Amino acid sequence: MSDLRDDVRTLFTQITGRAPDGLWSAPGRVNLIGEHTDYNDGFVLPFAIDRRTIVAAGAREDAVLRVASTFSDDAVEIPLGDLEGARGRAGWADYPLGVAWALGRSGADLAAVPGVDLVIDSNVPVGAGLSSSAAIECAVALALDDLWRLGLARPALARAGQLAENEFVGAPTGIMDQSASLLGQADAAVFLDCRTLDAEIVPLGFAAAGLTLLVMDTGVSHSHATGGYGERRASCEAGAAALGVPALRDLTVDDLARARDLLDDVTFRRVRHVVTENQRVLDVVRTLRTEGAAGIGELLDASHVSMRDDFEISVPELDLAVETAREHGALGARMTGGGFGGAAIALAPLDAVSRIQVAVDGAFAEHGFAAPEVYPVRPSAGAARDA
């Protein structure tokens, strides 16, 4: 983190000729369980991780928003008054630009606030399902909230990040990622009700149980703004409408027999995943409280099977990572994130970590897949001002 801070501060000074007003950071996240439940008004259980995005920011004397980063040679400059017409046109810079736009849509008077220089760096892997986009959104939201003296609560900043991703970037995601990044605490997960936005911190106790969580990044890229993610969301909305409920959150496992009679096979399986995944989130929270982290492995496994077979969002690389981790000592494993690539996670005893890493590397090589990255992550604190 010290290197990130130094790099982003140095680049800010090179670009602007002055020191930043401050540094703000926000973490990526791992979703322990609760996939594709968030936009169905359901339950999720993510936690912030020890990979972060850093933003150096400083107010300008004009009304221009300038965005630069250590990972792109091009800076993007746009007047705050022109953000509406810029939606979806700036590549990766759509994420920070979208946050400023969303804050305007949420009540900030963009005609009355100063322009801002933003310089961004990050060590959250891109495309791994660890929500690198939400880390950018939340760090920028926190910086703009401070510099513009908006005084918004963190749930409101999370909603602004989601609005940016949905309507500025064009990715139909829920609010889980931003909530985890803003509300996370060390050694704990965020139990979030995505309908009410009520959030509860649930201790994980991984270290005390002699466990760690491994991320197995397949390197298979994915995009939430296109393709299967949007199709799955549309299927869920169609299923809820056919069953006469506002959202799939309003169904229980007992409703699945009726759903099978009313829906075509594909829509039914999409609905069954969401309904059973919601129940698994509740079961994991209960198990963490009563038995501890060592008791949740079977629920993680069941989640992966549901995503593979009912929601059909896994890929061969994810399935191989999950199967190999289980065969070599993981208590449970599942793909995480929106699917169609990205990463899987494995809950593993500390003494099995090296064995799992070697086995996953070997299995990928044997199947002719590109080498994965396998590394532990720690449940960590959420977004904050760093300097």
Side-chain angles (χ1 to χ4, degrees):
M1 283 294 294
S2 60
D3 289 342
L4 285 180
R5 294 188 185 98
D6 291 343
D7 290 347
V8 77
R9 187 183 284 112
T10 297
L11 182 57
F12 186 96
T13 301
Q14 290 173 349
I15 290 173
T16 68
R18 68 186 193 281
D21 293 339
L23 302 183
W24 291 260
S25 73
R29 66 95 188 96
V30 158
N31 191 23
L32 186 60
I33 198 162
E35 225 64 77
H36 289 265
T37 51
D38 57 347
Y39 56 79
N40 288 292
D41 282 0
F43 304 103
V44 293
L45 191 67
F47 61 83
I49 62 173
D50 52 341
R51 300 288 185 104
R52 298 180 78 87
T53 291
I54 303 283
V55 174
R60 296 168 58 105
E61 295 182 356
D62 56 19
V64 171
L65 187 65
R66 177 166 56 183
V67 180
S69 76
T70 60
F71 44 82
S72 174
D73 293 333
D74 299 321
V76 175
E77 296 187 29
I78 186 166
L80 290 170
D82 293 345
L83 286 171
E84 177 67 33
R87 289 198 276 175
R89 298 181 180 178
W92 76 268
D94 280 339
Y95 293 99
L97 295 176
V99 169
W101 171 86
L103 290 172
R105 286 281 299 272
S106 303
D109 183 357
L110 297 187
V113 296
V116 177
D117 285 310
L118 300 169
V119 177
I120 298 169
D121 198 3
S122 182
N123 64 8
V124 182
V126 175
L130 302 181
S131 204
S132 57
S133 59
I136 292 174
E137 292 157 3
C138 293
V140 169
L142 207 60
L144 294 179
D145 181 69
D146 280 355
L147 292 175
W148 290 346
R149 300 183 181 181
L150 302 178
L152 296 175
R154 294 200 170 206
L157 295 178
R159 287 193 291 273
Q162 182 195 15
L163 182 63
E165 192 139 354
N166 290 174
E167 298 193 21
F168 201 94
V169 178
T173 57
I175 201 168
M176 171 184 66
D177 298 347
Q178 295 84 3
S179 297
S181 187
L182 283 159
L183 302 176
Q185 293 186 16
D187 196 30
V190 179
F191 176 37
L192 179 67
D193 181 331
C194 294
R195 170 168 286 170
T196 66
L197 300 187
D198 291 338
E200 183 178 352
I201 300 301
V202 178
L204 291 170
F206 288 165
L211 302 172
T212 191
L213 198 90
L214 288 174
V215 169
M216 301 177 288
D217 183 358
T218 66
V220 178
S221 62
H222 63 157
S223 173
H224 286 173
T226 58
Y229 189 99
E231 293 172 4
R232 297 309 185 278
R233 184 165 185 162
S235 290
C236 292
E237 292 168 353
L243 292 162
V245 294
L248 296 184
R249 149 71 173 272
D250 298 296
L251 302 175
T252 69
V253 173
D254 292 338
D255 293 309
L256 290 177
R258 178 171 68 94
R260 185 186 290 275
D261 291 338
L262 290 174
L263 304 175
D264 64 85
D265 179 64
V266 171
T267 305
F268 169 70
R269 288 187 290 110
R270 306 299 188 245
V271 168
R272 181 168 61 184
H273 164 71
V274 173
V275 172
T276 57
E277 186 80 347
N278 267 326
Q279 185 59 52
R280 282 187 288 270
V281 175
L282 299 176
D283 291 344
V284 166
V285 171
R286 173 185 51 79
T287 302
L288 286 168
R289 289 169 171 162
T290 58
E291 302 176 31
I296 68 172
E298 290 185 1
L299 292 162
L300 302 183
D301 292 342
S303 176
H304 184 77
V305 170
S306 183
M307 289 185 285
R308 183 192 67 200
D309 297 344
D310 278 354
F311 225 58
E312 296 182 289
I313 56 173
S314 190
V315 296
E317 290 89 343
L318 288 168
D319 294 338
L320 180 62
V322 165
E323 293 161 7
T324 304
R326 289 290 286 117
E327 290 168 358
H328 289 83
L331 303 185
R334 61 185 288 273
M335 57 152 288
T336 188
F340 311 103
I345 56 174
L347 183 64
L350 291 170
D351 60 8
V353 169
S354 295
R355 184 166 67 250
I356 292 169
Q357 289 173 317
V358 170
V360 172
D361 283 344
F364 271 54
E366 182 180 343
H367 283 75
F369 297 151
E373 291 190 52
V374 183
Y375 50 87
V377 292
R378 291 196 316 273
S380 299
R385 181 165 183 165
D386 287 351

